[in-house]
């Protein structure tokens, strides 16, 4: 073996594996990666509630990663959940491969456990809530839909993590 260390696997599709990779408590960052924007959400240390944090207008990849890194440092983030586009049949969607590549690039710099989590219907569900319950205009929805979708994604993951930890 050469001087380079074998890299520990940090990206997974399996929530049980992710649960074993992360500390029992601590904040998790949720990301909804889009072509134009990145939605960010965060959960509290006890992982009982997730909150929309911010929507980042996409720029150069290194600038986007630097912004995410600052959020991680400011909020003592222990791991990341990224929305993964999945078709109705459960198979990866068209954008799934590009999301995985982008997640790998993010992870090279941030070096934190990362879960690729099924994001089926997240944006659609959030849009429906923003229209029917909050009656927000299209312009107002556009400003918060991505961070709200990140929150929806993260919330699904932390609820599942809670159930896994109860079974341990």
């Amino acid at each position: 073996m050469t001087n380079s260390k074998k890299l520990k696997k940090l990206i997974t599709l399996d929530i049980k594996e992710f649960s074993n990779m992360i500390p029992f408590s601590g904040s998790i960052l949720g990301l909804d990666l889009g072509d134009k924007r990145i939605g960010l959400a965060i959960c509290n240390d006890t992982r009982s509630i997730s909150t929309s944090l911010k929507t980042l207008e996409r720029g150069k990849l290194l600038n986007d990663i630097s912004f995410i890194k600052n959020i991680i440092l400011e909020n003592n983030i222990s791991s990341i959940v990224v929305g993964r586009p999945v078709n109705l049949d459960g198979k990866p969607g068209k954008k799934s491969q590009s999301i995985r590549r982008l997640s790998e690039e993010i992870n090279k710099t941030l070096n934190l456990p990362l879960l690729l989590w099924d994001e089926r219907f997240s944006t659609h569900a959030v849009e429906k809530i923003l229209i029917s319950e909050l009656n927000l205009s299209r312009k107002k929805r556009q400003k918060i839909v991505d961070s709200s979708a990140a929150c929806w994604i993260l919330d699904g993951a932390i609820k599942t993590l809670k159930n896994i930890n109860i079974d341990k």
Side-chain angles (χ1 to χ4, degrees), residues 31-168:
L31 300 176
D32 181 31
L33 302 174
D35 293 330
K36 297 178 183 178
R37 291 175 295 277
I38 298 174
L40 295 100
I42 188 172
C43 70
N44 60 350
D45 285 344
T46 60
R47 300 180 184 151
S48 57
I49 190 164
S50 56
T51 308
S52 297
L53 190 61
K54 188 170 187 71
T55 298
L56 171 66
E57 294 294 326
R58 294 286 308 268
K60 291 183 179 180
L61 181 61
L62 290 176
N63 292 342
D64 295 346
I65 292 173
S66 178
F67 181 86
I68 294 168
K69 184 176 184 176
N70 287 334
I71 295 289
I72 287 168
L73 294 173
E74 290 168 4
N75 294 283
N76 199 26
I77 302 293
S78 63
S79 53
I80 304 169
V81 173
V82 174
R84 176 178 179 245
V86 179
N87 294 327
L88 290 175
D89 62 4
K91 294 181 181 170
K94 285 190 275 186
K95 295 197 53 113
S96 191
Q97 188 60 34
S98 66
I99 295 297
R100 179 158 188 118
R101 279 193 305 272
L102 185 53
S103 296
E104 288 169 355
E105 287 300 317
I106 289 169
N107 198 264
K108 281 180 191 176
T109 303
L110 305 178
N111 203 32
L112 289 174
L114 188 147
L115 173 67
L116 291 166
W117 184 252
D118 182 349
E119 71 166 16
R120 259 182 286 192
F121 307 119
S122 61
T123 302
H124 179 73
V126 167
E127 281 272 359
K128 194 172 182 178
I129 291 168
L130 295 176
I131 292 168
S132 64
E133 293 181 22
L134 300 177
N135 199 26
L136 293 180
S137 68
R138 183 183 308 255
K139 189 173 183 177
K140 288 180 181 176
R141 287 194 316 267
Q142 186 177 6
K143 291 180 181 179
I144 64 170
V145 71
D146 298 295
S147 63
S148 297
C151 188
W152 181 281
I153 293 162
L154 179 57
D155 197 52
I158 63 173
K159 284 179 181 175
T160 304
L161 281 170
K162 284 280 187 201
N163 289 333
I164 288 171
N165 290 330
I166 288 171
D167 294 341
K168 285 185 177 180

